[in-house]
Amino acid sequence: MQIKSRKMPAEMQILESLNGRVQLSPEIGRQLRNMREGVAGERRLDQALVSVSDCVIQISDFTLARNQLCQIDTVLVSANGIYLLDAKNWSGRHTVGDKGFERLTNDPLDQLKRAEKLFGRMLEYERIPLQVLSRLVFVNPEMTLYGVQPEMPIVLPQQLPEFVSEIRQQAGVLTEWEMRV
């Protein structure tokens, strides 16, 4: 069941509106292309999650504002736990190591850990006894990621169907309690 559907970010709406009217600088044009790719990746993830829509509560573009701001692409609430999913629509070749992604100043694994920590604190404060499972979900089959270790919270494009199937198997039946969470 989807509670909050995905919408185009306000900044992207403004840039799209301006794009046909004025010449965007190369930097702003690159920013708009990145936003388009990001939204396309989030929508690919939404499509992959359609098969679990009857056994989880899906919240898209969730923002947690508790002392710090944290945006999560997709939150799934089930009887078994809460999944925080960050969709990545990257293409090309990338490398991840023990210290995270190479050549990135904003490492998505660090961002995911931060989101999991903040979300866990919120659940603890609200006394909600559910575990938080976070995953970085790569949705573009034209992406290669080197150095992935099994313990890393990463779902590769070819693993996505199996990951969704596991969510479905573990989700259980939604109760009134999950609906209130």
Side-chain angles (χ1 to χ4, degrees):
M1 166 188 304
Q2 191 165 39
I3 299 288
K4 181 182 173 212
S5 61
R6 193 165 311 285
K7 295 179 182 166
M8 185 185 301
E11 182 180 5
M12 187 174 168
Q13 288 177 7
I14 292 167
L15 291 177
E16 288 288 8
S17 174
L18 290 173
N19 189 34
R21 299 176 192 172
V22 298
Q23 179 71 32
L24 298 178
S25 71
E27 182 180 326
I28 299 295
R30 188 172 33 259
Q31 183 180 355
L32 178 57
R33 282 189 302 281
N34 288 344
M35 285 181 188
R36 285 176 181 157
E37 286 297 315
V39 168
E42 292 166 4
R43 289 184 176 150
R44 275 186 179 175
L45 178 58
D46 290 344
Q47 282 300 115
L49 295 172
V50 164
S51 66
V52 295
S53 63
D54 62 332
C55 59
V56 298
I57 297 168
Q58 181 177 340
I59 306 166
S60 300
D61 296 325
F62 183 85
T63 301
L64 179 60
R66 201 167 227 160
N67 297 333
Q68 294 180 355
L69 192 65
C70 176
Q71 188 273 332
I72 302 162
D73 293 336
T74 303
V75 175
L76 301 178
V77 180
S78 75
N80 192 45
I82 296 178
Y83 295 85
L84 307 181
L85 307 178
D86 186 14
K88 295 295 176 198
N89 194 21
W90 295 1
S91 60
R93 295 181 179 134
H94 302 275
T95 304
V96 64
D98 293 339
K99 296 181 182 176
F101 285 85
E102 293 182 4
R103 295 177 278 151
L104 291 178
T105 53
N106 292 326
D107 189 324
L109 284 173
D110 289 340
Q111 294 170 2
L112 191 64
K113 286 177 197 169
R114 185 174 148 266
E116 184 174 344
K117 189 175 181 178
L118 291 171
F119 210 90
R121 281 190 204 148
M122 181 200 62
L123 292 177
E124 188 177 303
Y125 178 80
E126 298 292 337
R127 294 187 172 103
I128 298 172
L130 287 175
Q131 74 178 48
V132 179
L133 307 161
S134 60
R135 298 292 182 269
L136 199 56
V137 183
F138 290 92
V139 296
N140 190 339
E142 296 176 15
M143 189 272 308
T144 303
L145 185 58
Y146 298 105
V148 178
Q149 300 299 316
E151 68 277 359
M152 290 179 171
I154 293 174
V155 178
L156 298 171
Q158 63 273 22
Q159 297 170 319
L160 188 53
E162 182 181 349
F163 176 67
V164 172
S165 179
E166 287 173 12
I167 290 173
R168 181 164 195 69
Q169 289 172 358
Q170 297 172 1
V173 178
L174 285 175
T175 67
E176 184 65 32
W177 187 80
E178 283 91 18
M179 300 293 280
R180 285 184 289 155
V181 169

